[in-house]
Amino acid sequence: MGVIGLAGDQAIKALRHAQVWESVTRSFPTVAHWIDGEPISDVMPMAGILDRRRCFVIDDAPIATGVVPLGDAWACTNPSAARGFSLGIWQATLLRDAVGRHADDPVSLVVDYAGATERLLTPWFQDQNDRDRQRAAQFRALLEGRPLEPNPAHAMELALISAVRDDPEAARGWFDIFGCLALPNEVLGRPGMRDRLSAYMGRPMAPPPGPTRDELLALLGTTGRMPVAAGH
Ligand SMILES: Cc1cc2nc3c(=O)[nH]c(=O)nc-3n(C[C@H](O)[C@H](O)[C@H](O)COP(=O)(O)OP(=O)(O)OC[C@H]3O[C@@H](n4cnc5c(N)ncnc54)[C@H](O)[C@@H]3O)c2cc1C
């Protein structure tokens, strides 16, 4: 179980201490009971997470043969979406197919594999990248006490997320996106989906139950607004 914050939010660094982590986690009523068991380790902080993608083919020509990037070695984003295994295993099947087709031709193998990766997997990397940037902008606005800026490019997707709690089709669509079964455009293009989401456009999302920022700072043993560094 993880508590995720914005890089540069100095106050939340206190979460690396087990007692602080436990009191913060217990302040979220819908997940508090998840930590009723015996811990099997200390808190494991994780930072310096990169959004990174590697491609060994440039201008249709491989820069190396005999080596291909797979799984996290190909791309990584923040792990909160839990997509790494799905995409890694999917990509392993692309490599299997490319090897099957071009075992005797190292150049074609690398080009074929890179092309399939670009076509099928890069949209998922891009999706997560966009989502991270949206989320970081939301975090930053909340931390700085600014209203959330409307983002027309993602208005429909935000409407989908708002609708998840009371519309089963929206919920199915959202979990298809989350589970790497369908990209957002595909879900939003489903018959009737845009109509059913129109009522949710621009509607502010109700925050899940949990502490306010000031209550969180008190749990972290800190008071006052903390500076937020640029970037995420
Ligand atoms: C905290 C966290 C939670 C996550 N939760 C989920 C989740 O719920 N669902 C999900 O789908 N994904 C999740 N992920 C992502 C997922 O773990 C990764 O995407 C996935 O493990 C990538 O697989 P991989 O084989 O590419 O790399 P890895 O699993 O990292 O495997 C690489 C292996 O190579 C070994 N290695 C490294 N260097 C060398 C070397 N020089 N010689 C020999 N061996 C070496 C390493 O020890 C390691 O065993 C999570 C990631 C993190 C960090």
Side-chain angles (χ1 to χ4, degrees):
M1 169 152 177
V3 182
I4 299 169
L6 188 69
D9 182 359
Q10 298 299 325
I12 59 165
K13 293 195 173 164
L15 280 167
R16 67 185 63 224
H17 304 297
Q19 224 177 341
V20 177
W21 186 88
E22 185 168 339
S23 45
V24 168
T25 305
R26 288 212 183 275
S27 70
F28 289 89
T30 52
V31 294
H33 59 286
W34 288 6
I35 57 168
D36 282 348
E38 280 294 306
I40 57 169
S41 75
D42 218 337
V43 174
M44 289 190 268
M46 188 174 163
I49 297 169
L50 297 173
D51 286 338
R52 183 194 57 212
R53 180 168 65 96
R54 293 193 176 104
C55 184
F56 291 0
V57 172
I58 297 177
D59 294 334
D60 298 327
I63 54 167
T65 56
V67 58
V68 289
L70 173 71
D72 279 13
W74 165 68
C76 55
T77 60
N78 105 56
S80 64
R83 288 172 163 174
F85 292 134
S86 312
L87 296 182
I89 289 169
W90 186 2
Q91 197 178 22
T93 68
L94 302 182
L95 181 58
R96 174 205 60 197
D97 294 346
V99 170
R101 281 192 288 268
H102 307 290
D104 301 328
D105 180 352
V107 171
S108 299
L109 191 160
V110 171
V111 171
D112 180 344
Y113 172 69
T117 294
E118 184 66 18
R119 192 162 37 82
L120 296 169
L121 295 188
T122 297
W124 290 103
F125 170 80
Q126 206 55 56
D127 176 64
Q128 187 58 39
N129 228 336
D130 292 350
R131 201 175 296 286
D132 283 356
R133 272 150 189 70
Q134 277 176 58
R135 196 83 182 111
Q138 287 174 332
F139 275 29
R140 228 171 273 126
L142 290 169
L143 280 168
E144 292 166 5
R146 290 185 281 111
L148 299 184
E149 282 166 28
N151 184 339
H154 294 104
M156 195 51 95
E157 215 177 308
L158 289 177
L160 177 72
I161 299 171
S162 300
V164 158
R165 288 188 202 175
D166 39 46
D167 183 317
E169 286 303 320
R172 260 180 227 115
W174 174 241
F175 285 109
D176 282 350
I177 294 172
F178 213 74
C180 299
L181 296 171
L183 282 160
N185 278 346
E186 193 183 328
V187 168
L188 296 175
R190 288 177 181 167
M193 187 60 94
R194 285 179 185 268
D195 287 344
R196 55 196 315 142
L197 295 184
S198 58
Y200 294 87
M201 289 284 280
R203 197 192 274 191
M205 254 182 281
T212 61
R213 174 72 181 173
D214 286 340
E215 287 163 348
L216 177 67
L217 290 175
L219 290 167
L220 293 166
T222 322
T223 51
R225 184 152 281 151
M226 302 303 290
V228 182
H232 110 268

